[in-house]
Amino acid sequence: MKSRFFLIILALCITASVHAQTKWTLAQCMQYAIEHNIEIKQQELNVENSEIDLSTSRGKRLPDLSAGAGQSFNFGRSPSMATGIYEQNTSAGTGFSLSSNIPIYSGLRISHEIKGNELNLKAAVEGLNKAKENLSLNVAARYLEVLFKKEILKVSQEQCALTTKQTARTAIMAEEGKVPLSQVYDIKAQLAKEETNLTNAQNDLSQSLLDLAQLLNLSNPAHFDILEPEHIASINIAYIQNPDLVYEAALQQKPFIREANYRLQSSEVSIQIAKSYFLPSVSLGVSYNNGFNHVFGSDYNNVSLSSQLSNNQRQALGLNVNIPIFSRFQTRNHLRTAQLNRNNRALELDNAKIILQKEIQQAYHSAVAAQARYLSTQKALEATTEAFKYAEERYQLQMISVYEYSEAQTRLFASRSEQVQAKYDFLFRTKILDFYGGVEIEL
């Protein structure tokens, strides 16, 4: 038994270790975040609540059914069951009933309530989709931030490796008397600076990974890491969607626009519901009543149970009409409130469209600016790379000092960092446009 328990624990540990070492893709991060986000769960509860409201409104078309029963004891004078004359006795009475009410007409109120709750359910679903989209966009932003920090770390590692080699070469040259010893100290100082940059890059990457893991609500982010896409470097620099086309697509596809539209339609149905209270309502009532009595201490007054149940039963069928005449202005004010709510929902939809258009315009201009910055940093990187190659060759020939060489290397590092940052900034800006245009975010 102990050996079996040990094997189970070992298997669980191995599984947890493998899971911890697995690198997450963007799709996995999005899916996990959606499944474990508290706001998403709350939105899901809102959808379930809307489903319950819809079920309740549909059930109003059905007849209701209720049953009742009662037991009473009479002391003193009561009518005799045989003669009907009041006599001094003690008796017990048992009664039971069934009743049902069937709605026939209520000014189409039930139909309007069903339609309104159907629209509210659709709005709740779109609210859930909106929360999922916003969370996915935030996850994508954090994911790209981690990829950016990983590339910066690679640049820092390459710079450190290059400076380490040059430090060893300079030390050999100083031993041979080709360069002064001061240059060895200078390049060691440069190496120390780049090692500091490397440490900062590692810390920045760890912080970015922690931020992403916390956004996913991971319980143990210690070994969390993401998978680097192979084609991330091959971005289409010429690809920027037209903002007008994006806006037209977003009007049809974005959940928060559709949610506002469904809320507006539901508020219009609420006006019809309020108007229905001005109209008469008709319902059909059905009931069945029966019972029996027993007089204590008297055989003469006690009729058999079967006879009583046969003689005491009563059925009733009635048509009820309710005509509203004056409701202390409550119905009128309910209608006015519904109309004001409809006007407010219309303004909310207009405002949502304006905000959407502004966000798309801002995203487009940010993408254009990021595109220009990316192209300029690409040219700058090409120029600084050539300049560094030339400086490295001259340094090997002892034509420049280690200080000049370090300056060229520092400019190369800064240029590479700016180019990496510009690349991911442009990539993120285009993904935002894709997001508004209804294109799935993927790398």
Side-chain angles (χ1 to χ4, degrees), residues 125-198:
V125 171
E126 294 302 334
L128 174 61
N129 293 335
K130 176 181 66 176
K132 290 181 178 180
E133 276 197 351
N134 292 337
L135 180 59
S136 297
L137 185 62
N138 290 334
V139 170
R142 294 291 186 184
Y143 197 93
L144 287 173
E145 180 71 15
V146 173
L147 292 177
F148 163 64
K149 295 298 176 60
K150 281 179 174 287
E151 283 211 28
I152 291 295
L153 178 60
K154 290 179 181 179
V155 171
S156 298
Q157 290 171 339
E158 292 172 2
Q159 291 293 110
C160 280
L162 181 60
T163 305
T164 300
K165 292 180 180 179
Q166 292 298 342
T167 301
R169 293 176 184 174
T170 304
I172 294 174
M173 294 169 64
E175 291 177 359
E176 295 175 351
K178 296 180 180 180
V179 296
L181 187 60
S182 60
Q183 292 196 16
V184 177
Y185 297 130
D186 290 338
I187 200 167
K188 284 185 177 181
Q190 176 68 20
L191 178 60
K193 179 181 178 181
E194 292 177 0
E195 287 175 345
T196 301
N197 292 336
L198 177 60

Side-chain angles (χ1 to χ4, degrees), residues 230-260:
E230 297 179 355
H231 60 282
I232 192 66
S234 58
I235 61 176
N236 186 0
I237 191 62
Y239 172 71
I240 298 181
Q241 292 194 67
N242 183 281
D244 295 332
L245 297 178
V246 173
Y247 177 68
E248 292 300 325
L251 285 178
Q252 305 298 325
Q253 300 176 3
K254 296 315 293 177
F256 75 95
I257 295 294
R258 290 190 294 199
E259 179 187 14

Side-chain angles (χ1 to χ4, degrees), residues 43-227:
Q43 292 292 336
E44 291 174 346
L45 293 178
N46 289 337
V47 173
E48 292 183 12
N49 188 61
S50 297
E51 292 174 345
I52 294 174
D53 291 340
L54 177 58
S55 176
T56 301
S57 60
R58 286 174 175 171
K60 290 183 178 180
R61 284 177 169 171
L62 303 175
D64 62 4
L65 179 64
S66 59
Q71 177 69 45
S72 63
F73 296 93
N74 301 313
F75 305 95
R77 294 179 63 80
S78 60
S80 170
M81 297 176 60
T83 64
I85 301 174
Y86 277 84
E87 299 177 355
Q88 189 76 20
N89 55 39
T90 300
S91 63
T94 302
F96 52 88
S97 64
L98 285 173
S99 63
S100 176
N101 187 66
I102 305 170
I104 297 177
Y105 177 75
S106 58
L108 300 179
R109 185 183 312 139
I110 296 177
S111 298
H112 291 317
E113 288 180 355
I114 293 174
K115 183 178 180 181
N117 285 324
E118 287 175 346
L119 292 169
N120 289 334
L121 176 58
K122 291 180 180 180
V125 171
E126 294 302 334
L128 174 61
N129 293 335
K130 176 181 66 176
K132 290 181 178 180
E133 276 197 351
N134 292 337
L135 180 59
S136 297
L137 185 62
N138 290 334
V139 170
R142 294 291 186 184
Y143 197 93
L144 287 173
E145 180 71 15
V146 173
L147 292 177
F148 163 64
K149 295 298 176 60
K150 281 179 174 287
E151 283 211 28
I152 291 295
L153 178 60
K154 290 179 181 179
V155 171
S156 298
Q157 290 171 339
E158 292 172 2
Q159 291 293 110
C160 280
L162 181 60
T163 305
T164 300
K165 292 180 180 179
Q166 292 298 342
T167 301
R169 293 176 184 174
T170 304
I172 294 174
M173 294 169 64
E175 291 177 359
E176 295 175 351
K178 296 180 180 180
V179 296
L181 187 60
S182 60
Q183 292 196 16
V184 177
Y185 297 130
D186 290 338
I187 200 167
K188 284 185 177 181
Q190 176 68 20
L191 178 60
K193 179 181 178 181
E194 292 177 0
E195 287 175 345
T196 301
N197 292 336
L198 177 60
T199 301
N200 292 335
Q202 291 171 336
N203 293 335
D204 289 344
L205 175 58
S206 298
Q207 183 62 48
S208 296
L209 283 169
L210 178 61
D211 292 340
L212 177 56
Q214 290 180 339
L215 182 59
L216 303 183
N217 284 336
L218 285 178
S219 58
N220 183 17
H223 303 286
F224 173 72
D225 199 2
I226 66 171
L227 183 65

